[in-house]
Amino acid sequence: QVQLADSGGGLAQAGGSLRLSCAYSGRLFNLYRLGWFRQAPGKDREFVAQLTWHGGTPEYADSVLNRFSISRDTAKNAVYLQMTSLKPEDTVIYYCAAAAADGKGYSYWGQGTQVTVSS
């Protein structure tokens, strides 16, 4: 099992910045990918950003490209989402997630952290 604990959400003004953090622990040897997703009330969870466990070019949703940045600190077992140029439409709950190399996609999820952007 893998445990994820995301944090760092809060209130920001439009144009401002926030950094989300996600601490992961447990059976990490088989992890393949780390990512961030977000979900608005009544809507499906949507992809935000991801990176592979062994490096490589991060991937972003078009809606956050050039505004958000995903990174990882291997020493701290943490993955981050730096969010800049925030917009009111970024107001949703954000979830970190992890995928194992088992072909099942993202199987592990954090509890979610609320981001609210005021106009």
Side-chain angles (χ1 to χ4, degrees), residues 48-117:
V48 175
Q50 66 183 4
L51 49 73
T52 56
W53 186 258
H54 299 293
T57 303
E59 297 175 45
Y60 299 94
D62 289 344
S63 58
V64 306
L65 190 62
N66 297 320
R67 298 192 300 123
F68 291 9
S69 177
I70 186 172
S71 62
R72 177 186 166 207
D73 187 328
T74 56
K76 296 183 178 180
N77 278 359
V79 60
Y80 305 101
L81 186 68
Q82 179 68 48
M83 306 185 294
T84 64
S85 301
L86 284 164
K87 303 176 181 179
E89 51 263 45
D90 295 320
T91 296
V92 288
I93 298 176
Y94 287 74
Y95 299 86
C96 64
D102 56 6
K104 297 180 180 179
Y106 284 97
S107 302
Y108 307 102
W109 296 87
Q111 78 280 7
T113 185
Q114 174 73 47
V115 169
T116 302
V117 182

Side-chain angles (χ1 to χ4, degrees), residues 1-7 21-28 31 33-37 45 53 72 76-80 94-100 105-113:
Q1 289 295 321
V2 176
Q3 294 78 44
L4 302 171
D6 38 32
S7 61
S21 300
C22 177
Y24 48 83
S25 60
R27 296 168 61 87
L28 307 179
L31 289 186
R33 187 175 285 131
L34 297 167
W36 287 94
F37 291 75
R45 192 168 296 184
W53 186 258
R72 177 186 166 207
K76 296 183 178 180
N77 278 359
V79 60
Y80 305 101
Y94 287 74
Y95 299 86
C96 64
Y106 284 97
S107 302
Y108 307 102
W109 296 87
Q111 78 280 7
T113 185

